[in-house]
Amino acid sequence: MSRYWVIAPYDSTKPQLWEKVWQYDINNKVISIGWKDLGNISNLNEKELLILINETYPQMNQGVKTFSYNVMWNFWHNILIGDVIIARK
């Protein structure tokens, strides 16, 4: 059974940058979820990802870090072929 995921490609409070990322995603037939400063997270385990988030965003509120971690981990490890991704605009 397919699951549904709703995502946005960037922070909606920055409309010009959001539109730039949105157009990039459409033109390249990809979807992005932000956090480019983290680099490639595909080979990280849970602990390594948490450490990287803490080191990369030391000023970020811990609750936001936890939320961000959950979003990234789910996006990378739990979305399956056949799931439906709804890109919010």
Side-chain angles (χ1 to χ4, degrees), residues 1-80:
M1 176 179 216
S2 295
R3 294 175 298 171
Y4 290 81
W5 302 82
V6 177
I7 63 160
Y10 205 80
D11 182 351
S12 63
T13 63
K14 300 174 183 174
Q16 289 179 323
L17 190 52
W18 194 98
E19 187 61 36
K20 181 179 178 182
V21 173
W22 180 254
Q23 288 306 314
Y24 175 88
D25 288 357
I26 289 171
N27 293 337
N28 291 281
K29 297 181 182 188
V30 298
I31 193 64
S32 55
I33 59 170
W35 299 287
K36 71 177 183 170
D37 294 335
L38 295 175
N40 183 353
I41 65 168
S42 64
N43 293 318
L44 300 180
N45 64 37
E46 292 177 82
K47 183 177 179 181
E48 292 167 332
L49 179 56
L50 284 167
I51 290 169
L52 182 61
I53 290 169
N54 282 316
E55 289 175 352
T56 306
Y57 303 106
Q59 75 290 355
M60 187 182 287
N61 172 291
Q62 189 58 46
V64 174
K65 288 179 187 179
T66 300
F67 174 79
S68 300
Y69 160 80
N70 287 327
V71 169
M72 284 180 263
W73 192 259
N74 277 321
F75 188 80
W76 188 252
H77 295 281
N78 295 327
I79 293 177
L80 302 174

